[in-house]
């Protein structure tokens, strides 16, 4: 995807005259997206923002963030009719050297018979797509959500998976018992369950099944435990404000969003050939 030309972002002191919101500057340009048949499709008069006070851990190669949420100015909201109200992405594992990909329109839908789907809870999302998480199975132990309903956001822009503390405490206790050895404190104090091992295969890390409403998402250990500061740590953390299914949990799954029919779908995939 590319813009038809570069936008110069003037100093913030001048941009406030144009528009006073988080972006500070709004631009209108033609966006070009490559199609599945080798052609390039243009989307003229597309709105995007240029920020001056941006926060987050982005590499020097990143030139911006594509909005895939339900906000009025997100890329998806602007293109809705032209992309048949559908898009999907396939996120590569954290250590991959290639880029993840996104599809818009009818090509976003998979024909894999193993796809599972769950309805969106919020009919008109302001930004996030919420689904209902009923319970989580860890090994042979199934834990129901202690809050009803267990609303959780499916988000490609958040790294870790976050669960409400009332749910996380039970999950952590079960994972400890399944692994059977004492964890090592995370030196950064970010993650709770860390273990010293050469490979994720050397320890009996359990798989998990996230039981959404109508869809069971089976997560292998590689979607839950990653190498972190010379340890292998569980990439799930407690959060009392919000629950999020983050990008690590979604790696090597094609995640489809059908905005018109209000559902999110998942199917295991090799995202390197997506």
């Amino acid at each position: 995807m590319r813009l038809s030309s570069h936008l110069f972002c003037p100093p913030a002191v001048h941009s406030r005259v144009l528009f006073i919101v988080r972006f500070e500057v709004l631009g209108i340009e033609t966006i070009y997206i490559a199609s599945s048949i080798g052609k390039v499709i243009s989307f003229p008069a597309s709105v995007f923002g240029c920020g001056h006070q941006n926060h987050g851990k982005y590499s020097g190669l990143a030139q911006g963030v594509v909005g895939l949420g339900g906000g009025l100015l997100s890329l998806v909201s602007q293109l809705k009719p032209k992309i048949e109200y559908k898009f999907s992405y396939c996120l590569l594992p954290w250590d991959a050297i290639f880029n993840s990909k996104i599809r818009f329109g009818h090509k976003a839908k998979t024909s894999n018979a193993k796809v599972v789907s769950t309805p969106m809870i919020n009919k008109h999302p302001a930004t996030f797509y919420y689904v209902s998480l009923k319970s989580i199975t860890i090994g042979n132990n199934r834990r129901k959500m202690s809050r009803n309903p267990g609303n959780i956001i499916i988000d490609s822009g958040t790294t870790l998976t976050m669960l409400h503390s009332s749910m996380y405490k039970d999950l952590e206790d079960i994972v400890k018992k399944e692994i059977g050895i004492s964890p090592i404190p995370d030196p950064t104090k970010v993650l709770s369950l860390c273990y010293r091992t050469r490979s994720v295969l050397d320890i009996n890390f359990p798989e998990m099944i996230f039981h959404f409403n109508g869809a069971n998402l089976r997560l292998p250990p590689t979607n839950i435990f990653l190498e972190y500061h010379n340890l292998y740590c569980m990439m799930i953390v407690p959060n009392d404000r919000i629950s999020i299914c983050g990008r690590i949990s979604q790696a090597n799954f094609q995640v489809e969003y059908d905005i018109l029919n209000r559902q999110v779908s998942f199917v295991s995939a090799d995202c390197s050939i997506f």
Side-chain angles (χ1 to χ4, degrees), residues 120-132:
M120 296 179 189
I121 294 174
N122 48 339
K123 294 182 180 180
H124 304 289
T127 300
F128 301 115
Y129 301 105
Y130 283 89
V131 299
S132 179

Side-chain angles (χ1 to χ4, degrees), residues 164-262:
H164 191 271
S165 296
S166 59
M167 178 71 172
Y168 177 85
K169 179 63 170 62
D170 289 342
L171 180 141
E172 182 180 293
D173 290 343
I174 294 172
V175 171
K176 284 182 181 178
K177 292 178 182 178
E178 288 284 328
I179 294 175
I181 59 177
S182 298
I184 295 173
D186 169 20
T188 67
K189 299 181 180 181
V190 173
L191 304 170
S192 297
L193 287 186
C194 294
Y195 298 87
R196 193 173 302 283
T197 178
R198 293 182 178 179
S199 168
V200 71
L201 302 176
D202 291 342
I203 290 182
N204 185 32
F205 289 127
E207 72 171 14
M208 294 186 188
I209 303 175
F210 278 39
H211 301 278
F212 298 113
N213 183 16
N216 296 328
L217 182 63
R218 186 179 297 271
L219 300 178
T222 50
N223 282 70
I224 305 165
F225 296 88
L226 282 185
E227 187 175 3
Y228 181 75
H229 288 272
N230 298 317
L231 301 172
Y232 269 86
C233 301
M234 184 173 73
M235 298 292 153
I236 301 176
V237 296
N239 190 311
D240 287 334
R241 296 185 300 105
I242 194 168
S243 293
I244 300 176
C245 180
R247 75 168 310 281
I248 292 175
S249 295
Q250 298 178 56
N252 275 331
F253 282 92
Q254 181 176 346
V255 184
E256 306 170 8
Y257 296 79
D258 187 333
I259 301 171
L260 196 61
N261 294 310
R262 313 304 310 152

Side-chain angles (χ1 to χ4, degrees), residues 13-262:
V13 64
H14 298 302
S15 67
R16 292 195 183 99
V17 177
L18 301 177
F19 211 89
I20 307 177
V21 291
R22 182 183 300 175
F23 286 130
E24 294 193 5
V25 176
L26 286 182
I28 297 177
E29 276 286 8
T30 299
I31 295 176
Y32 296 90
I33 301 178
S35 72
S36 58
I37 59 174
K39 294 184 178 180
V40 175
I41 301 175
S42 63
F43 299 90
S46 297
V47 179
F48 67 98
C50 182
H52 295 277
Q53 297 179 8
N54 304 308
H55 303 280
K57 296 181 179 179
Y58 302 107
S59 70
L61 298 177
Q63 294 182 335
V65 176
V66 175
L68 301 177
L72 291 176
L73 293 181
S74 76
L75 179 65
V76 169
S77 293
Q78 293 187 64
L79 303 185
K80 275 180 182 177
K82 300 175 183 178
I83 61 173
E84 302 176 16
Y85 297 87
K86 296 182 180 71
F87 72 94
S88 68
Y89 54 73
C90 203
L91 301 176
L92 288 163
W94 192 253
D95 58 353
I97 60 174
F98 301 105
N99 294 323
S100 300
K101 296 182 178 67
I102 183 169
R103 293 175 177 171
F104 299 98
H106 71 279
K107 284 292 184 177
K109 190 170 183 60
T110 182
S111 59
N112 194 313
K114 295 182 179 180
V115 66
V116 295
S117 302
T118 184
M120 296 179 189
I121 294 174
N122 48 339
K123 294 182 180 180
H124 304 289
T127 300
F128 301 115
Y129 301 105
Y130 283 89
V131 299
S132 179
L133 178 63
K134 300 295 186 180
S135 60
I136 298 176
T137 295
I138 308 105
N140 295 319
N141 296 274
R142 182 162 177 169
R143 305 302 297 179
K144 293 184 178 180
M145 294 295 293
S146 54
R147 295 189 305 160
N148 188 25
N151 296 349
I152 188 169
I153 296 168
I154 309 298
D155 184 25
S156 62
T158 300
T159 301
L160 303 177
T161 288
M162 303 177 184
L163 298 175
H164 191 271
S165 296
S166 59
M167 178 71 172
Y168 177 85
K169 179 63 170 62
D170 289 342
L171 180 141
E172 182 180 293
D173 290 343
I174 294 172
V175 171
K176 284 182 181 178
K177 292 178 182 178
E178 288 284 328
I179 294 175
I181 59 177
S182 298
I184 295 173
D186 169 20
T188 67
K189 299 181 180 181
V190 173
L191 304 170
S192 297
L193 287 186
C194 294
Y195 298 87
R196 193 173 302 283
T197 178
R198 293 182 178 179
S199 168
V200 71
L201 302 176
D202 291 342
I203 290 182
N204 185 32
F205 289 127
E207 72 171 14
M208 294 186 188
I209 303 175
F210 278 39
H211 301 278
F212 298 113
N213 183 16
N216 296 328
L217 182 63
R218 186 179 297 271
L219 300 178
T222 50
N223 282 70
I224 305 165
F225 296 88
L226 282 185
E227 187 175 3
Y228 181 75
H229 288 272
N230 298 317
L231 301 172
Y232 269 86
C233 301
M234 184 173 73
M235 298 292 153
I236 301 176
V237 296
N239 190 311
D240 287 334
R241 296 185 300 105
I242 194 168
S243 293
I244 300 176
C245 180
R247 75 168 310 281
I248 292 175
S249 295
Q250 298 178 56
N252 275 331
F253 282 92
Q254 181 176 346
V255 184
E256 306 170 8
Y257 296 79
D258 187 333
I259 301 171
L260 196 61
N261 294 310
R262 313 304 310 152

